[in-house]
Every structure is written in C-alpha cells, then in structure tokens.
DNA sequence: CTGAAAGCGCTTACAG
DNA sequence: CTGAAAGCGCTTACAG
C-alpha cells in the first residue's frame, strides 16, 4: 500500500477551486462543464496524478466498464494448451475492447459449472462473451435464465435458427461445403469426415452438413463408415485416424472438423507410411497459425478472427445499451495448401 | 438491466433474521460467525440467488481481488498473432489466478505508452504482471516510480543482478549454453546466432551469453559475422537468415533466440535448397506448440510455463500481502528433435 | 454552468 | 458471537 492517503476528487476540487461534483463532471467530459473549468480541473488532476477510483464510480453508476470473456472447455490434462483458434479470437477481442474503452476480464470455465454468478451478477462485468466449441443447446435453459435476469451475453459459435441468444459465428455450412467440393475437384471420392457431428458440437455438425450437401450435389454416395467422432485436439485426431484405418474401408481424403484434428490425423497417417496428399488428401478447419507450418502445409478454412472479435464486442455493447441486436454469420475463406493437392502430386 | 431492484445484503439479513453486518461476515467466512448463523445466511443468500456486489466490497475493503496482466509488444500489423509462448503463459496465469480466487484483467500495451494509471492507480487491480520480451531497462525509471507509489508489479523476463523489481524468468544463460553444447556435440563448429543480443532484449542477450560461454569452453572461436539481429517473429527470422546467407560466411548451424525466429530461418534455408539438419542444424528456444510440428521438428529449450504462471501469481500475491519476495530463476530443459541432428543425418 | 446533498452496497472498527 | 453506525469515493438528481 502506498503510504500516503489516497487522493480523491475532493483534493482535486480544492486545488481547482470548484466543488467535488464539478470535478466528477469535468473528468468524465460532461458537456455541462465550461471549457475553462474543465481545463483547470484536468490540470489539477494531472498535477496530483489523480485517477478516478473505479470501484466507487462503478458502484455509483451501476456499470463496470468491463466485459468478461469466458472460455469454455473440457478440463484438459495440460493446462497451457489452449485451442489456438480461440487464442486468435482472444487477441482480437482484447483489442476490440481496448478500442471501445472497456476492460476485459478472462476466465476459463467448464460449461457444466456454476459460472453465472461470477461476473454479471456480482457486477464485475457489464456483459459476457462466451467462447468455446460449446454445446450451448444442452445448457440452453441456463443461458435463458441468465438472459431473463438481465445478463448480457453474446456467444461465439454455430448460428442456428431458433437460438434465443445472440450468436456470432462463421458460415460453417458453407465452409464444410467448400472444403468438400475442393477435395472432390482433386479427384477424391471416398472422403472421410473426422469430427463429432452430433448436436453436442453444433459447429462441427454444420460443417458436416456442408460436407453431405457437397457430396450429394455431386452425386457421390455417402458412406457412414467414413465418419468418425473426434473433438478438437491432436490426440483425438490421431485416435480418430487410427479408428478409421482400423475399419478397413478405403478412403482417399480426410476432411477434419478442425485443424487440430487434421494435424493429429496427418501424424497417424505418416506413422502408417501413408503419404499425404498422394495417397490421402487432408483438409482442416480454422487456419490456426500452425496450419501453414506442418508437413505438408494444411489446406483449411480461414475465419476472420479480427472481424469476429470486433463483432462480438460491438454486439455485446449494443446489447448493453439496449440497442437491437441479431445473430450474425461471417463468410469464411478456403485456404488451399499442399495437404489437399491429391491430384497434382499423384495419379 | 434487470427489472427488479438489486438484491442486497439487507434483503438477506431480513430473510435470515440477522443484521446486515452479520450477513457480510457470514458470507466472507469470518470465524466470528457461529456455524448455525452462517448456514442460515447462506441458505437465505442461495434462495434469493444473491451475490456480493464486488464494486461495493472493493470500495470499502480497498482491494479488488483482481490482478492485471499486461502484454507488452510492439504494434504488429496482424492483430491476432500473439507470440505463442506468451499464450501458454497466459493460460497458466489465468488458471493460477482462478485457483487463488483472483480475477484476471488482461490488456495489450506498448511499453512506451502511459499505461500505469490504467490499473493499479484506478484500483481496478491489486497488482500487475508484465509479460513480453521487454526492454525493461529502458523503462526502469517508470517501473521504479510505480513501485515507489506502492504499485505491486512482477515481471516475466531476464533475471539480472541489480534489478529492483521482482522478476521471474527461466535460466536463459544455461539454456543458451545447453543448446550450443548440443550443437557442438553434433559436430557443428560454425554456429550462427540469430537474435538481437543487445540490452534491449535482455533474455536474448542472456541466451547469447550462454552461447558464447559454450563456444569458449570448447575452444571454438567466436565469429561476430555469425550473429544477426532478429526479434521474435517468423518474418524477422526469415530476414535474418537471408542476411546471414548474404554475408557469404560458411556456417553449419543456427541457434535462433526463439522458436519463431528458428521457424522463419528454416523456411528461408529450405527456399534456398539448404537441407536442415544435413547441411545446417537448427535449434530454437521456447518450445512453442508449433515446434514439434514443423518440418523438421525443432530442437528447442522448454520452459515450464505452468510453473512459471504459478510463480508469477504466487509472488505477486506475496507482494500484495507485504511478504518478502525475491526474483527467481527457473530451470529449463533441452528438447532434442530432428532439426539439430546434423551428425546422424550426414557426414 | 455549478454546488450541496443523498446514496450506491458493502466492510469494519466499536461496543456489548 | 452479534448489532448499530460510520464511511469507502464516487455519480446523480435537484436546485439555482
């Protein structure tokens, strides 16, 4: 603790020769204060290195100037391995907050836990951003209850019809479709899908729907034996690829529901002496920084994380200001790298 | 905003049949409260879904229960590319905070900016963690002024003698030495160092000192032409490798001051048709997640980010509690992967 | 445009 | 072990 007593707005008021209320107004840029008074107050504040006590101002004004970012994830053995895609989102969310003058509180949570009280209800944050490959459906009632209590929440994830909460997400369906069409163009016909395509992973499910759509449009028959569940980790990708090989079904391509799954799968294929992309083309989803550096470089779908972060923050602030907000879907972009160039490298 | 009036400790007091002060004590687990009263208060609080207003409690108690994490970095063109090593640190710091019951506020800043007022002085955070390949020396006076004002700060970085602020860092000197010894054991004799080894990058400087020490111990002469400045980005690593090649000096190994530099350098070498590790062995520093997945997998130095995060938080909390704290250095670990196996793959 | 006063919801001596 | 009272440092009607 500093030895000196804390400097308050009363000290500034005395120094500037105005009332404490005027200090408060001047420092918040209220238009009620005359230009000259404001200058005098600002000079006094600067000379004493005064800063407004956020706790007091928040208590009085009922706003915190803070947003909370909650990462949802299953408990992982390795604490420090965060899904790289969400890291990129974290970066852009942080900067978007800074641009808007908001602070950002972050926290890692398990979806099943009782996290709601921690932020909005204790007035630490004015609103909450949820990030994660979340099965929000299962927790829909909780989200709904929060919303009813007046908590402002914006989710990143699958944008689905009939979702009562505001969601920003990329167009997973189109993404899945684009990747699959690209693989078909490479001459692949037995394209495996690695990822849990159930409603527990709504984003994966959408990507899978796009995959099915692309196959059907081209008249390629769908073989359920080519779909293997996986969650978004390398380990899970390796296991899924092992399971796929164990099934003995022939396949000439893998569309992994995320880059981490794809990278794990490539590892397994290599270990089995299977060449990528000559024998099996592989594509992922997310365009994590690693994607361009694995061997072979990974074809994937890029999401505009910078814009996504801005949209999450902007929409949450609109919600906080009681402005109309709707869920929004962002376009994605296919990034072709060597891992999927089945055609060029072989046959 | 919720339509209902906010529930306060007075409501709980009434429901539980005690005074408001007792509610406050019971909910904070004060030992002064009887077990039976506590239970009654907790039940009442739960039934009304009451949570303590943090702004009020912070204002009164003069503590925020929040730590601030400041990332220092130069402004980058690409918002979302955060150094992966710091991301791992972020993860472990966040979790360490959670375990201690603290919230974490995060912010990206440029070292040169006027950031000090933002957190500690406005009472938003009880203490600050600084993270970044920072040139803290240049900003030493600012740090010192903050400390004098009572701000609690802990830095991640180079642990140097005569540093008045508390720093946690890994043993960069030993790390640099281990890598260099390893490269020497592989038969390399012309080992380039890629990284700014000036006092502006104290961690790189320490790694470079370790490098020099290893060379001298083995009686290998140091050639200044083999040192090229680089900061910790792939782009910079590529440029440094280009510059090195342009000098025309023969070299059989590169020790890059960070993994990102190493990965960039490998890219440049490959583009020039130079085989790694057969013609040039390469090693980096940090063991970022990508390191094991590039081609060839990168030999590097691993820092225990989980433990580092814990130590940063623990030491900051000690500082906040006015307990004695000293700077500490953590051991590192050489991780040998294929990029440095010069010997085995050639000659 | 400015000031005097009330009050945000807690925690913490103080008293018993 | 519990209560009554003061007060943390602001913001915001209210009045002029």
């Amino acid at each position: 603790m500093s030895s000196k007593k804390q400097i308050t707005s009363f000290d500034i008021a005395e120094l500037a020769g105005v009332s404490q209320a005027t200090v408060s107004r001047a420092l918040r840029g209220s238009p009620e204060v005359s230009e000259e008074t404001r200058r005098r107050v600002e000079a006094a504040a600067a000379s004493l290195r005064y800063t407004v006590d956020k706790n007091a101002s928040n208590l009085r004004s009922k706003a915190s100037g803070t947003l909370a970012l909650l990462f949802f994830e299953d408990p992982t053995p390795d604490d420090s391995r965060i899904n790289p895609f969400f890291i990129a989102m974290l970066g852009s969310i942080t900067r978007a907050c800074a641009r808007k003058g908001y602070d950002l509180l972050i926290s890692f949570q398990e979806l099943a836990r009782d996290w709601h009280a921690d932020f909005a209800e204790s007035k630490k944050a004015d609103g909450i951003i949820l990030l994660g490959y979340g099965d929000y459906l299962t927790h829909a009632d909780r989200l709904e209850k929060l919303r009813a209590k007046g908590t402002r929440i914006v989710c990143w994830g699958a944008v689905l019809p009939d979702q009562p909460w505001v969601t920003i997400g990329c167009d997973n369906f189109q993404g899945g479709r684009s990747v699959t069409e690209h693989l078909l163009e490479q001459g692949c016909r037995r394209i495996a899908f690695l990822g849990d395509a159930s409603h527990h992973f709504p984003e994966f499910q959408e990507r899978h729907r796009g995959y099915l759509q692309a196959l059907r449009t081209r008249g390629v028959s769908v073989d359920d034996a080519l779909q293997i569940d996986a969650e978004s980790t390398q380990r899970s990708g390796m296991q899924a690829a092992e399971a796929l090989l164990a099934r003995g079904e022939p396949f000439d391509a893998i569309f992994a529901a995320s880059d981490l799954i794809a990278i794990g799968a490539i590892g397994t294929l290599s270990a089995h002496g299977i060449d990528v992309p000559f024998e099996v083309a592989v594509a992922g989803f997310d365009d994590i920084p690693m994607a361009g550096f694995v061997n072979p470089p990974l074809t994937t779908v890029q999401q505009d994380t910078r814009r996504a972060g801005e949209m999450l923050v902007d929409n949450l602030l609109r919600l906080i200001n009681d402005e109309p907000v709707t869920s929004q879907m962002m376009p994605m972009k296919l990034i072709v790298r060597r891992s999927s160039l089945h055609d060029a490298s072989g046959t």
Side-chain angles (χ1 to χ4, degrees), chain A:
Chain A
M1 244 127 277
S2 172
S3 49
K4 297 161 212 151
K5 205 176 128 291
Q6 186 179 333
I7 292 164
T8 73
S9 51
F10 285 91
D11 299 315
I12 308 305
E14 193 180 341
L15 188 60
V18 295
S19 74
Q20 179 268 340
T22 297
V23 170
S24 173
R25 291 190 190 100
L27 261 26
R28 274 174 306 118
S30 159
E32 293 180 312
V33 173
S34 77
E35 200 47 44
E36 197 234 312
T37 306
R38 182 194 322 287
R39 258 196 268 284
R40 208 140 35 91
V41 170
E42 276 167 357
S47 77
L48 294 186
R49 302 185 141 277
Y50 167 76
T51 37
V52 173
D53 185 309
K54 276 290 167 193
N55 291 132
S57 82
N58 291 346
L59 171 59
R60 193 50 237 258
S61 65
K62 300 279 179 201
S64 67
T66 301
L67 305 181
L69 173 61
L70 301 198
F71 281 96
F72 284 103
E73 47 174 25
D74 295 320
T76 46
D78 182 348
D79 262 8
S80 57
R81 300 277 159 145
I82 310 170
N83 187 323
F85 173 70
F86 294 124
I87 289 306
M89 292 290 292
L90 165 68
S92 66
I93 290 170
T94 307
R95 287 173 221 264
C97 280
R99 279 195 292 272
K100 298 286 185 178
Y102 274 74
D103 288 319
L104 186 68
L105 220 44
I106 77 167
S107 177
F108 292 80
Q109 303 277 341
E110 294 165 38
L111 245 192
R113 247 208 45 192
D114 204 37
W115 45 272
H116 44 72
D118 285 0
F119 295 96
E121 295 183 16
S122 61
K123 301 273 186 283
K124 290 195 288 199
D126 299 334
I128 297 177
I129 296 172
L130 297 188
L131 203 56
Y133 280 120
D135 172 14
Y136 297 127
L137 258 185
T138 301
H139 302 277
D141 51 333
R142 179 115 48 99
L143 282 174
E144 190 43 42
K145 215 172 280 173
L146 273 178
R147 225 173 47 100
K149 276 198 86 173
T151 304
R152 277 47 186 276
I153 301 188
V154 171
C155 302
W156 171 261
V159 179
L160 301 172
D162 307 322
Q163 250 174 184
W165 51 89
V166 176
T167 305
I168 310 296
C170 93
D171 193 337
N172 291 289
F173 175 79
Q174 277 302 338
R177 187 169 170 170
S178 301
V179 168
T180 310
E181 282 170 354
H182 165 72
L183 292 170
L184 288 166
E185 279 160 19
Q186 294 298 311
C188 303
R189 285 298 175 273
R190 300 277 301 163
I191 305 174
F193 183 91
L194 265 43
D196 186 330
S198 77
H199 68 272
H200 291 298
F201 290 80
E203 293 170 275
F204 287 6
Q205 193 176 29
E206 284 295 291
R207 293 167 195 178
H208 186 245
R209 283 210 314 118
Y211 155 87
L212 294 177
Q213 172 81 47
L215 291 182
R216 284 177 189 136
T217 302
R218 296 288 187 106
V220 175
S221 67
V222 174
D223 183 350
D224 287 342
L226 292 179
Q227 189 273 323
I228 310 260
D229 283 353
E231 55 180 42
S232 191
T233 65
Q234 280 160 214
R235 172 186 302 272
S236 184
M238 295 177 69
Q239 290 166 347
E242 290 287 359
L244 179 63
L245 290 168
R247 284 194 183 168
E249 298 282 336
F251 62 98
D252 51 18
I254 287 177
F255 170 24
S258 83
D259 284 353
L260 289 178
I261 295 173
I263 292 169
I266 289 177
T268 293
L269 294 177
S270 300
H272 283 266
I274 298 170
D275 185 82
V276 177
F278 179 58
E279 293 173 79
V280 175
V282 177
F285 209 106
D286 286 343
D287 196 28
I288 62 178
M290 210 189 284
F293 292 91
V294 293
N295 183 30
L298 186 64
T299 291
T300 186
V301 175
Q302 187 177 67
Q303 315 188 44
D304 185 344
T305 52
R306 185 192 156 114
R307 177 125 177 281
E310 275 172 2
M311 285 179 69
L312 286 167
V313 171
D314 287 353
N315 279 284
L316 184 52
L317 293 181
R318 293 179 66 93
L319 222 47
I320 289 168
N321 295 325
D322 291 319
E323 294 167 28
V325 179
T326 54
S327 292
Q328 287 169 71
M329 206 145 67
M330 302 191 5
M332 31 90 320
K333 192 175 149 196
L334 181 69
I335 307 286
V336 177
R337 298 201 182 94
R338 195 151 52 82
S339 72
S340 65
L341 301 183
H342 191 60
D343 196 35
S345 60
T347 42

